[in-house]
Amino acid sequence: MRFPFIKPRLKSVEQHRKPAISAASSRNRVIIAMGCFIAVYSVIGGRLVQYGLTDIDQGRSYGSVDRNMAARPDLVDRNGVIMASDIRVASLYGEPRRIIDPDEAVEALSTVLPDVDYKEWHRKLSSGAGFVWLRREITPKQQAQVLALGIPGIGFRNETRRFYPGGPNTAHILGLVDIDNAGISGIEKYIDNQGVGTLQELGLDVSAELPPVKLSIDAGVQHIVRDELVRAMEKYRAIAAGAVILNANTGEVVAMSSVPDYDPNNPFNANDKDRLNRMAAGTYEMGSTFKAFTTAMALDSGKVTLNSRFDASKPIKIARFTINDFHGKKRVLTVPEVFIYSSNIGTAKMADVVGIDGHRAFLKKLGLLDMLKTELPETARPLEPKEWKKLNSITISFGHGVTTTPLQTAMAAAALVNGGKLINPTFLPRTKEQADAISEQVISAKTSAEMRYLFRLNVEQGSGRNAEVEGFYMGGKTGTAEKVVNGRYSNDVRFNAFLAAFPIDDPEYVILTIIDEPKPEEGNYSATAGLNAAPMVEAIIRRSASLLGIQPKFYTDREALQVSY
């Protein structure tokens, strides 16, 4: 017997079971879909966090290490004082494709940033480009104010900027970097030439912090030197002044300055003609300071002694020129008298004893006729006559007819007092042993002792009296050179210098000061080197001797000051 109702019932049961199975499958699919969504958005969220911590320009995370990385090494003085360092600064950029209203954007930015070029910025932000620079190196305050404006398509790129804590104090030594932090002058350019520039080009300079570069400069002494130069310019109403302190035994430049100068943190006037580094990049007729080299030449030749005499009673007439003395004694002079009275006539006759060829050879041996080689790229080449004749030798003997840099003049002077060793100057640390290894004996130790005696005698009895510093045994030579105006030497326009060494009984330092076109000080009718360049040396020694490690000495017996020769 068949029961027709049973099959439909069973079918109905199956129909009821299928929806139950479908619901379970749907739940699984929902769970899987939710998992996928969570995974995808987790990745997106993670990437957003990563991008938020990533430097837009370098593609590396802003960890504490990265913020401390420097594109260039620090420059420090001989005592470890930082003279140049890298700092992080923000630069403003725009993404024109994201700018909604260029006019509104420029108008808003102008409320924060000075000197906005409306036309140029509008052109940039309307260009449709992906990226344009608007302002490099803005202050943190300006960055915060721009952020507060909330302009879409305006952002910041962190860059490295060179900072000089001393401002203009060492401008001519340290030099400058460009907008991309590459060295373009001074020591900054020098260290790039040693490989830092190549590292930057390869992008390797950010992988590790570079060790600092130590210089021979003493920041404290450097400050004193520049301060005295600024005072001298004002006091004597000069157009420029300069000075260098050179270690006589190692050739290290301890301080060097030339004013007017510039602030490397804002070098808008760095290329102005009057901002030249006169100590290394300028050449001058050094006047009577050259008489020290002529005297040393004559003594070292063996043809002249300190007891030799020269007739300075009458002017020297050669061709159509007449050589005379500024304050002539009109009599026969001994070599020490020729030196302390700064006799042109006597000095010319000493040069004549050696001869023209010997004269030129001696100056060349002292490095005064060749381009000086130091770490500074800005170094001028000396000028000399194409053909030396007797007239040339005569005028060059007292500092006219050859131009040299003051720095190389100081280098040659160091050889006169340090025992006769010529040592090329350096702006990097150098030991005495290292200096001895590269030095060249250019005069005898006996001649050097005689020159120390003459330098001291000139301070005691000659034109260097105003350089005397109580307690410090020093010596020196003045140099007053008439400048050429309209093709002729002018009696009223001068370039003055004072060449000094101390302590003169055992010299450690050579100092050279220069002052360009000084005017007579109030109450004086003259502006010779003894009245301006010499007092500059006195002030520098008085203020810096303790920093240089030189202790004062007070002698009771004047004879104890005499230098044996």
Side-chain angles (χ1 to χ4, degrees):
M1 186 173 179
R2 297 181 67 178
F3 300 94
F5 62 86
I6 294 179
K7 190 171 184 181
R9 182 179 176 85
L10 292 173
K11 182 185 271 190
S12 177
V13 170
E14 291 175 0
Q15 288 175 345
H16 281 290
R17 285 178 179 173
K18 286 181 180 179
I21 296 171
S22 177
S25 177
S26 296
R27 282 196 300 271
N28 290 337
R29 285 196 295 268
V30 169
I31 291 172
I32 292 171
M34 289 176 63
C36 291
F37 275 113
I38 291 171
V40 169
Y41 282 105
S42 294
V43 171
I44 293 173
R47 293 295 287 172
L48 288 174
V49 172
Q50 181 182 1
Y51 288 140
L53 295 175
T54 300
D55 187 349
I56 190 172
D57 60 323
Q58 300 294 343
R60 59 183 189 272
S61 64
Y62 271 113
S64 59
V65 174
D66 177 71
R67 277 194 290 268
N68 291 328
M69 284 185 180
R72 302 182 64 80
D74 287 349
L75 300 181
V76 300
D77 84 335
R78 64 189 305 113
N79 301 311
V81 177
I82 293 180
M83 306 176 78
S85 185
D86 280 353
I87 60 173
R88 297 286 255 179
V89 294
S91 291
L92 182 69
Y93 71 87
E95 296 177 273
R97 294 172 187 169
R98 296 181 55 209
I99 298 294
I100 299 171
D101 187 337
D103 289 322
E104 184 180 343
V106 175
E107 186 70 30
L109 290 171
S110 68
T111 64
V112 174
L113 300 170
D115 305 323
V116 168
D117 187 333
Y118 284 85
K119 185 176 180 180
E120 178 65 15
W121 283 30
H122 185 275
R123 183 190 64 78
K124 286 184 175 182
L125 296 180
S126 304
S127 65
F131 178 95
V132 292
W133 280 119
L134 294 177
R135 179 69 57 84
R136 306 288 287 269
E137 299 178 359
I138 64 175
T139 66
K141 181 180 179 181
Q142 290 172 335
Q143 183 183 17
Q145 290 173 332
V146 172
L147 280 171
L149 296 174
I151 306 173
I154 297 296
F156 304 94
R157 175 175 174 173
N158 283 304
E159 298 187 291
T160 300
R161 179 187 177 187
R162 202 65 163 164
F163 176 65
Y164 302 90
N169 197 41
T170 49
H172 285 125
I173 297 173
L174 302 184
L176 289 171
V177 297
D178 61 17
I179 192 67
D180 295 315
N181 220 33
I184 56 175
S185 65
I187 295 297
E188 296 282 25
K189 185 174 182 179
Y190 166 77
I191 62 175
D192 274 18
N193 292 340
Q194 304 308 302
V196 173
T198 303
L199 288 175
Q200 288 178 321
E201 291 171 5
L202 296 175
L204 301 177
D205 58 312
V206 295
S207 61
E209 187 173 354
L210 296 172
V213 175
K214 179 177 282 191
L215 304 182
S216 60
I217 303 299
D218 185 306
V221 178
Q222 177 73 20
H223 169 76
I224 291 171
V225 169
R226 183 181 181 275
D227 186 54
E228 288 300 331
L229 295 183
V230 172
R231 291 186 184 189
M233 266 191 70
E234 296 175 355
K235 184 176 182 179
Y236 305 116
R237 293 166 290 151
I239 65 171
V244 61
I245 299 180
L246 192 68
N247 187 307
N249 299 308
T250 65
E252 294 171 295
V253 178
V254 179
M256 188 181 78
S257 186
S258 172
V259 292
D261 50 21
Y262 59 89
D263 186 350
N265 295 310
N266 184 26
F268 68 95
N269 57 352
N271 291 325
D272 290 357
K273 185 173 60 176
D274 65 332
R275 308 286 164 171
L276 170 76
N277 177 8
R278 287 167 167 80
M279 301 307 292
T283 60
Y284 306 92
E285 292 183 335
M286 295 301 297
S288 293
T289 56
F290 252 54
K291 290 173 182 173
F293 305 128
T294 306
T295 303
M297 173 186 70
L299 293 172
D300 204 58
S301 71
K303 300 176 180 180
V304 174
T305 69
L306 289 178
N307 295 319
S308 298
R309 296 172 176 270
F310 295 91
D311 187 0
S313 60
K314 297 178 181 179
I316 297 175
K317 294 185 178 181
I318 181 169
R320 50 191 180 86
F321 298 96
T322 300
I323 311 299
N324 216 330
D325 288 340
F326 184 62
H327 289 301
K329 298 301 177 180
K330 308 296 183 183
R331 60 178 176 83
V332 174
L333 302 175
T334 63
V335 169
E337 287 177 326
V338 169
F339 196 79
I340 64 174
Y341 298 143
S342 201
S343 170
N344 294 336
I345 300 171
T347 304
K349 291 188 174 182
M350 277 196 285
D352 192 44
V353 169
V354 176
I356 298 171
D357 292 339
H359 189 185
R360 185 183 183 280
F362 184 80
L363 294 185
K364 190 170 182 64
K365 184 168 65 172
L366 286 181
L368 291 167
L369 303 181
D370 296 316
M371 189 171 176
L372 187 63
K373 295 180 180 179
T374 72
E375 295 80 14
L376 291 188
E378 303 80 27
T379 305
R381 183 178 297 278
L383 298 176
E384 61 171 312
K386 291 183 179 180
E387 181 183 358
W388 281 50
K389 299 180 179 179
K390 186 169 183 177
L391 177 61
N392 301 121
S393 182
I394 287 175
T395 59
I396 291 169
S397 73
F398 51 80
H400 287 278
V402 160
T403 66
T404 61
T405 68
L407 179 57
Q408 67 187 138
T409 303
M411 171 194 71
L416 300 190
V417 298
N418 69 4
K421 296 179 180 179
L422 184 69
I423 307 170
N424 215 53
T426 180
F427 292 86
L428 302 176
R430 181 192 285 160
T431 65
K432 189 175 186 304
E433 291 71 26
Q434 291 171 330
D436 288 341
I438 62 171
S439 66
E440 180 184 354
Q441 194 76 31
V442 289
I443 61 172
S444 68
K446 177 177 180 292
T447 300
S448 180
E450 292 172 339
M451 291 307 302
R452 293 196 296 271
Y453 164 75
L454 293 175
F455 275 129
R456 179 57 192 169
L457 189 66
N458 189 50
V459 170
E460 289 183 336
Q461 302 178 24
S463 58
R465 292 186 183 93
N466 289 330
E468 181 75 288
V469 186
E470 186 178 1
F472 296 96
Y473 186 37
M474 56 87 63
K477 181 72 184 77
T478 52
T480 303
E482 296 175 348
K483 292 183 68 174
V484 176
V485 178
N486 296 325
R488 303 189 58 156
Y489 285 106
S490 170
N491 294 326
D492 301 321
V493 184
R494 301 181 178 90
F495 179 88
N496 293 352
F498 189 82
L499 190 56
F502 82 106
I504 198 64
D505 52 345
D506 185 16
E508 291 191 43
Y509 297 99
V510 166
I511 301 179
L512 174 63
T513 58
I514 62 170
I515 186 157
D516 199 355
E517 297 188 19
K519 311 301 184 296
E521 191 179 359
E522 187 175 348
N524 287 331
Y525 296 97
S526 180
T528 56
L531 298 173
N532 39 61
M536 289 164 62
V537 169
E538 184 274 336
I540 290 172
I541 292 178
R542 175 170 40 80
R543 294 179 60 186
S544 66
S546 60
L547 294 179
L548 293 171
I550 306 298
Q551 299 297 319
K553 299 177 182 178
F554 298 95
Y555 295 92
T556 55
D557 183 1
R558 194 67 174 174
E559 293 300 318
L561 301 182
Q562 298 300 314
V563 179
S564 61
Y565 59 90

